[in-house]
Amino acid sequence: MLLGRVAGTVVSSRKEDTLEGLKFLVVKQLDVEESETGNYVVAADAVGAGVGEVVMYATGSSARQTEMTRDRPCDAVVMAIVDTWEVGGDVKYVK
Amino acid sequence: MLLGRVAGTVVSSRKEDTLEGLKFLVVKQLDVEESETGNYVVAADAVGAGVGEVVMYATGSSARQTEMTRDRPCDAVVMAIVDTWEVGGDVKYVK
Amino acid sequence: MLLGRVAGTVVSSRKEDTLEGLKFLVVKQLDVEESETGNYVVAADAVGAGVGEVVMYATGSSARQTEMTRDRPCDAVVMAIVDTWEVGGDVKYVK
Amino acid sequence: MLLGRVAGTVVSSRKEDTLEGLKFLVVKQLDVEESETGNYVVAADAVGAGVGEVVMYATGSSARQTEMTRDRPCDAVVMAIVDTWEVGGDVKYVK
Amino acid sequence: MLLGRVAGTVVSSRKEDTLEGLKFLVVKQLDVEESETGNYVVAADAVGAGVGEVVMYATGSSARQTEMTRDRPCDAVVMAIVDTWEVGGDVKYVK
């Protein structure tokens, strides 16, 4: 998994049928100091994350291991909202 | 998933039998500001996307989770045509 | 999938038993202008591609979705020989 | 697999139900000289690794091949604590 | 697959139970000119490769398609020892 911040949303009306009802989030990747790395991903939302929230996301086949994404052509999912993380004994982020 | 713009098509007459009937699109990857990143992928088309359209594509095993690509040696699929996306409260793209 | 040019072959006599009979090709990755990117992959050949030919290859689990590669420890496969591609209305390659 | 050092932990109370009970570690990637590469991953802990320990981690679908992670939306797992490694005849790390 | 040279070994006594008996090799990635790229991977050994040997390795779920690695949290495997390869008509490596 990687850490990211939900930066926005993507809307699509013409898509694979099985994707109906999924919410697509633009997630900007964060490093462990909470700085943006410049990378992003569009991920399905499995936890009700809002814009601005710091999250963890999984990619690849693991992104299909949620009830919302199973058997769908979806390769990234937000699977947790982060409360806090620490690195080297320092708290780097608190919600 | 990543955002991309359909830039063209690839034609192949000699290919794995199961790929018969698939349309292959050259998709240039976009960043969240709608600029090209310099990366591309050749993706199967699951939604009838045309050249110039902005799309989302999935890669890896997730690219086989559509009726057109199931059980085929295909690792990228265009699974949605994008209407709009916004980042940081700003609309970055409208179809 | 990505575009590539078959640049050579790899020979191995001591290998996993299930790989017996597979032909391994050195494939140099191409960008959409038909220039080499500097990346390469060793891919199993599912279509009888020869050295010098321009091909498409799939990676990851999708590389096992051919009769030749199924259930084998193979993560890249040449699944199509390219006739032509065009980008932005320009023909970039013709066989 | 890659080598890494456990640098910290991530806490999340709102997450996919199936992730309940998993411990999430911030793992900084190491090169073969035991220097940090600048990359990191958040990995589930399958071996009881503590902060500061040098570990091996697996990513992708392989990260779900442990009892703790099976069928969960988890794409990285710490699956071994490293005792020692050597490269080119030199011991590069001893626990 | 990619080409690599076995550079060393990793020893771990505390690991996922299913990994018992696997030998872990440090493999430095090679380009097609037989130069090191600076990347490495720790791969399970499925062919009895020794330090210094030039090999091919597979990553991702394909790394679990050997008898030794099936259903284990292992994302890279050495699946062949290379005898020779050639690129552009030139022999680049002979064992």
Side-chain angles (χ1 to χ4, degrees), chain C residues 46-64:
Chain C
V47 291
V51 171
E53 283 192 292
V54 171
V55 298
M56 278 198 292
Y57 60 96
T59 57
S61 59
S62 298
R64 300 197 309 273

Side-chain angles (χ1 to χ4, degrees), chain C:
Chain C
M1 283 70 67
L2 290 168
L3 299 163
R5 182 177 283 112
V6 179
T9 52
V10 179
V11 177
S12 164
S13 48
R14 193 159 132 217
K15 59 195 163 191
E16 249 271 320
D17 292 346
T18 57
L19 297 172
E20 202 59 49
L22 283 187
K23 187 175 174 189
F24 292 107
L25 302 174
V26 178
V27 180
K28 291 190 175 180
Q29 188 186 321
L30 298 174
D31 64 21
V32 298
E33 304 298 332
E34 204 198 330
S35 301
E36 296 183 2
T37 65
N39 293 322
Y40 82 98
V41 74
V42 179
D45 180 16
V47 291
V51 171
E53 283 192 292
V54 171
V55 298
M56 278 198 292
Y57 60 96
T59 57
S61 59
S62 298
R64 300 197 309 273
Q65 308 297 314
T66 76
E67 207 173 316
M68 301 192 72
T69 55
R70 202 167 308 275
D71 299 329
R72 296 177 184 187
C74 167
D75 64 8
V77 72
V78 171
M79 28 60 88
I81 295 171
V82 173
D83 295 332
T84 181
W85 82 75
E86 58 176 67
V87 167
D90 297 324
V91 175
K92 297 292 181 178
Y93 170 81
V94 178
K95 192 179 173 175

Side-chain angles (χ1 to χ4, degrees), chain E residues 28-64:
Chain E
K28 290 190 176 181
Q29 188 186 321
L30 298 174
D31 64 21
V32 298
E33 304 296 333
E34 204 198 330
S35 302
E36 296 183 3
T37 65
N39 293 321
Y40 82 98
V41 74
V42 179
D45 180 16
V47 291
V51 172
E53 283 192 293
V54 172
V55 298
M56 278 198 292
Y57 60 95
T59 58
S61 59
S62 299
R64 299 198 309 272

Side-chain angles (χ1 to χ4, degrees), chain D residues 6 19 22 24 30-31 36 42 44 47 49 52-53 55-56 59 61-62 66 68 70 72-74 90-91:
Chain D
V6 179
L19 297 172
L22 282 188
F24 293 107
L30 298 174
D31 64 20
E36 297 183 3
V42 179
V47 291
E53 283 193 293
V55 298
M56 279 199 291
T59 58
S61 59
S62 299
T66 76
M68 302 193 71
R70 201 167 308 275
R72 296 175 184 189
C74 167
D90 297 323
V91 175

Side-chain angles (χ1 to χ4, degrees), chain B residues 24-63:
Chain B
F24 293 107
L25 302 174
V26 178
V27 180
K28 291 191 175 179
Q29 188 186 321
L30 298 175
D31 64 21
V32 298
E33 305 297 331
E34 205 198 328
S35 302
E36 295 183 2
T37 65
N39 293 322
Y40 82 98
V41 73
V42 179
D45 180 16
V47 291
V51 172
E53 283 192 294
V54 171
V55 298
M56 279 198 291
Y57 61 96
T59 58
S61 59
S62 299

Side-chain angles (χ1 to χ4, degrees), chain D residues 65-79:
Chain D
Q65 309 297 315
T66 76
E67 207 172 315
M68 302 193 71
T69 55
R70 201 167 308 275
D71 299 329
R72 296 175 184 189
C74 167
D75 64 9
V77 72
V78 171
M79 28 59 89

